[in-house]
Amino acid sequence: MNPIFEKLMPWLDKAYALSSALVLFEWDNETEAPEESAGLTSKAIEILSDEYYKTIINPEVKKLLKHLASEKNLSLKEAAIVKDLQKQYDSMEPIPQKEYREYQGLIARASSVWARAKSADNYSQFEPVLKQIVDFQKRFLACRLKAGHPDMRPYDLLLNDYEEGFTMKALDEFFETLKREIIPLIQKVAEKKDRISKDYNVRTYPVALQKDFNRMLAEHVGFDFKRGVMKESAHPFTTNLHNRDVRITTHYDVHNLESAIFSTIHESGHALYEMHIDDDLTATPVGCGTSMGMHEGQSRLFENNLGRSRAFWIPLFEKLKDTYPEALSDVDLDHFILGINKSSPSLIRTESDELTYSLHILIRYEVEKMIFEENADMEKLPEIWAEKYREYLGVTPEKDSEGILQDIHWAGGSFGYFPSYALGNAIAAQIYAHLKKVMPLEDYLEAGNFQPINSYLREHIHRFGKTKTTGEILEEMMGEGFNPQYYIDYLKEKYETLYRPLDH
């Protein structure tokens, strides 16, 4: 170990311990904590966040980072940690410590406010808290821009926090390409939607049976319950402390079979990424996925490219029917595959079909740009949201829970995050095309054998953590960087093939 880097280790260890405690509070808030706990618990979160700030932002860490910036004999791991820590330092140092602490307490309380507002279908209950979060974010952005990014736009800086290198200019071009190529396909497919019945999906599926089936499903794709747990939350998510403690949630609806199934597969894709991080990297600043886009690339690969394929369900469909013999008595495999891939514009992002999904992300991207670049009126966000759904998807939310309040991300201050979902779709399609070239992928899926699939992903993507960028991983694995054309080609081929029999 580099001797200067070694002096950084006590600070890194303390930061890891504090961040782990904060992760556990977040996990508890979303899964187990009673409804009235948030107010007082937020005090503990504020104090821990304050200690975390002081652990990262202090003269000794600053001095060590300055020395390490010119060091030539750092290992790949050490250099990656220094780079990541420097980015974190630069983003936090301009923010006043007192305001940082207050903000962490605010977002600790905000999730419960969001949950109550969503349950009540009342945006006005959440709007004051959301306005506070946005006001904090705008002040923080002003400090950060002044300190080190005077030529950047505020929203570009937020985007850079999640997906380095993807600016509004790059994302505008990406989304324009998707609109040009995918909207005509959506319209073409929508003409046939009434020919596919999926009334099976809204029959009665007891939650106890769903829990058993979804646990089996997670194990089927490779989730290791010796290293992970699975719980329930209002909004499914994945978190972890290290590669031996990875936690996922799903959400059960007694009248929606597919909801938990595809949330479970999705979150398992995230979890496998974290479980497969090298032991040498886990519990360090680079012991996690390299970017949000690559992370979503793993979850969407499992959920859609693999999880909605016929080959995936060949070894599972009879188990599904055996679990719900009455509800699925009149459904065969071909009917089910058409059903789980049916495309029809809808209101809920997490329940949307694979073809229209990225338009949901486009809407959030445009709304966030309006918030941070145009100072959109926070009271009018539900109206703005509804208008964009009419424009892009031809549907209009009738209540806030299926509109502006459907996602929890803003309650956690996650602005600039949503574009990673669409980028993840494109990355997933690119990786899927590669997997079909390098292995008999359909044979493995039909046999229910995820071992070689997971081994390949671990070897070429997961194990590196953040020591390699998304672009570097794609280049080394398949000889080219990010290329959204794979996504467009995948959707066109899939939906033209899937729906062709309906033409006869």
Side-chain angles (χ1 to χ4, degrees), residues 56 205 329 362 420 452 475 479:
I56 299 296
Y205 297 94
S329 61
L362 169 61
S420 296
E475 282 279 359

Side-chain angles (χ1 to χ4, degrees), residues 290-482:
T290 188
S291 73
M292 292 312 304
M294 181 57 86
H295 232 306
E296 287 301 322
Q298 304 311 291
S299 59
R300 299 295 279 178
L301 170 68
F302 274 74
E303 177 191 354
N304 289 329
N305 307 84
L306 306 181
R308 295 184 191 271
S309 70
R310 193 176 194 279
F312 178 90
W313 284 99
I314 284 175
L316 292 169
F317 187 66
E318 288 307 314
K319 295 178 183 177
L320 183 68
K321 290 196 68 166
D322 288 345
T323 304
Y324 315 106
E326 293 183 13
L328 296 176
S329 61
D330 60 340
V331 181
D332 62 20
L333 178 58
D334 290 334
H335 180 182
F336 182 70
I337 297 305
L338 274 175
I340 63 176
N341 287 289
K342 179 177 180 177
S343 177
S344 180
S346 60
L347 292 165
I348 306 299
R349 174 186 68 86
T350 55
E351 309 291 348
S352 66
D353 63 82
E354 190 177 5
L355 183 57
T356 60
Y357 183 92
S358 286
L359 294 188
H360 291 261
I361 306 307
L362 169 61
I363 289 167
R364 285 153 178 78
Y365 168 64
E366 292 189 349
V367 172
E368 288 190 352
K369 282 200 298 182
M370 292 177 71
I371 292 171
F372 288 96
E373 294 294 320
E374 302 171 25
N375 292 315
D377 186 339
M378 303 302 288
E379 290 184 11
K380 294 181 179 178
L381 287 189
E383 300 166 32
I384 295 169
W385 183 282
E387 180 55 39
K388 287 191 175 293
Y389 265 78
R390 280 192 291 271
E391 177 185 356
Y392 287 120
L393 289 164
V395 292
T396 306
E398 296 182 359
K399 50 188 181 180
D400 290 339
S401 61
E402 62 184 19
I404 192 76
L405 289 178
Q406 65 180 266
D407 283 312
I408 195 173
H409 301 65
W410 289 351
S414 296
F415 294 94
Y417 178 100
F418 276 110
S420 296
Y421 284 118
L423 294 172
N425 285 335
I427 290 169
Q430 189 168 351
I431 293 169
Y432 179 62
H434 178 70
L435 292 179
K436 290 198 293 182
K437 289 180 181 179
V438 299
M439 65 175 67
L441 184 60
E442 284 214 355
D443 292 346
Y444 290 148
L445 293 174
E446 289 180 12
N449 181 11
F450 269 80
Q451 191 278 325
I453 301 169
N454 286 329
S455 292
Y456 191 89
L457 294 173
R458 178 176 188 163
E459 177 66 22
H460 294 277
I461 301 174
H462 300 167
R463 67 187 178 94
F464 298 116
K466 294 178 79 171
T467 62
K468 294 181 186 291
T469 66
T470 295
E472 288 170 342
I473 287 171
L474 292 174
E475 282 279 359
E476 292 176 15
M477 183 172 67
M478 56 189 301
E480 63 176 312
F482 175 68

Side-chain angles (χ1 to χ4, degrees), residues 76-133:
L76 176 65
K77 170 187 169 182
E78 291 167 349
I81 289 174
V82 169
K83 179 183 176 183
D84 187 77
L85 185 60
Q86 185 67 63
K87 182 179 179 180
Q88 186 179 173
Y89 191 96
D90 291 343
S91 70
M92 290 175 64
E93 186 186 32
I95 299 171
Q97 181 182 343
K98 182 175 181 290
E99 290 196 29
Y100 179 85
R101 172 175 170 162
E102 290 173 356
Y103 176 72
Q104 297 303 320
L106 172 63
I107 60 175
R109 297 187 296 273
S111 62
S112 62
V113 178
W114 165 82
R116 288 194 296 270
K118 181 180 179 182
S119 179
D121 270 316
N122 190 345
Y123 171 74
S124 64
Q125 291 182 11
F126 181 58
E127 188 266 334
V129 174
L130 179 61
K131 187 175 187 305
Q132 284 182 279
I133 292 171

